[in-house]
Amino acid sequence: KNEVEQSPQNLTAQEGEFITINCSYSVGISALHWLQQHPGGGIVSLFMLSSGKKKHGRLIATINIQEKHSSLHITASHPRDSAVYICAVQSNFGNEKLTFGTGTRLTIIP
Amino acid sequence: ETGVTQTPRHLVMGMTNKKSLKCEQHLGHNAMYWYKQSAKKPLELMFVYNFKEQTENNSVPSRFSPECPNSSHLFLHLHTLQPEDSALYLCASSHRDEQYFGPGTRLTVT
């Protein structure tokens, strides 16, 4: 069993829908990262958080340390949001080693 | 654009060939990484370099040989690879625990 589990593995939604992607982890962490990977491979860091909630544009990330769970939300989804979203956990600040989930493939249909 | 570049973007090589992947960043980051991404698997950390010194080798076979001549450049030398080594190879650099990924090299071993 992977230390980082994401759900769902695949998600297809209509443009405009509210999207939620979940991440659960089984180890103690100092921070959790949400990453976006577009077709072609390039990965972009969306959020790094260790508590509470962060918002950037239409993206919101939340984390519950006690429950070892994080969610990534996308409001007013758009076809350009179609990508693979990857959750990764960091065990200690200053230790750059990340453990990754397998990703959630999101497809937004116009 | 994350500021991390990788060349080549695509590479096809035979099992007896020797080739090198190159990664470059001029972001002033002191940590650089090689990751392997195989189909339907989480990203796997291969190597970490801090201030040009290797600080992590994640049990990578010796047919993969990293080199970090300075803080801006990272190479991955490949020789006698196997077909199962076909994957996307991603380079990253980091600053304050946030990682910046390159676009990746899509490697096919025939």
Side-chain angles (χ1 to χ4, degrees), chain A residues 45-90:
Chain A
S45 177
L46 299 175
F47 295 103
M48 183 177 77
L49 66 165
S50 52
S51 65
K53 175 178 169 179
K54 285 191 176 180
K55 185 175 188 291
H56 185 255
R58 294 180 295 106
L59 300 177
I60 304 166
T62 63
I63 188 168
N64 185 319
I65 296 293
Q66 287 73 29
E67 294 185 3
K68 292 187 166 61
H69 181 269
S70 175
S71 293
L72 176 69
H73 305 286
I74 305 175
T75 61
S77 59
H78 190 276
R80 65 175 174 268
D81 297 325
S82 298
V84 176
Y85 292 84
I86 302 170
C87 171
V89 299
Q90 179 177 354

Side-chain angles (χ1 to χ4, degrees), chain B:
Chain B
E1 286 294 326
T2 62
V4 180
T5 59
Q6 289 187 243
T7 54
R9 295 292 307 276
H10 300 271
L11 178 62
V12 179
M13 59 186 289
M15 289 190 284
T16 58
N17 291 159
K18 287 185 180 181
K19 296 285 184 184
S20 295
L21 310 185
K22 179 181 176 183
C23 175
E24 189 170 351
Q25 58 91 9
H26 295 287
L27 301 169
H29 297 169
N30 293 314
M32 296 186 76
Y33 313 76
W34 279 117
Y35 290 97
K36 176 183 178 182
Q37 188 178 37
S38 304
K40 304 207 186 294
K41 287 187 177 181
L43 271 137
E44 300 171 56
L45 178 67
M46 300 175 73
F47 301 103
V48 181
Y49 277 81
N50 272 290
F51 295 94
K52 304 188 298 178
E53 298 297 321
Q54 187 181 118
T55 56
E56 182 92 25
N57 177 337
N58 202 24
S59 303
V60 180
S62 60
R63 56 185 185 270
F64 294 91
S65 174
E67 179 191 1
C68 188
N70 55 61
S71 293
S72 299
H73 295 85
L74 186 64
F75 296 89
L76 188 63
H77 304 298
L78 316 171
H79 63 99
T80 59
L81 293 192
Q82 304 299 310
E84 60 265 28
D85 296 322
S86 299
L88 180 69
Y89 289 84
L90 289 152
C91 172
S93 66
S94 72
H95 175 69
R96 294 186 180 177
D97 295 321
E98 185 168 355
Q99 296 202 11
Y100 297 74
F101 287 83
T105 295
R106 175 74 59 187
L107 173 67
T108 303
V109 181
T110 61

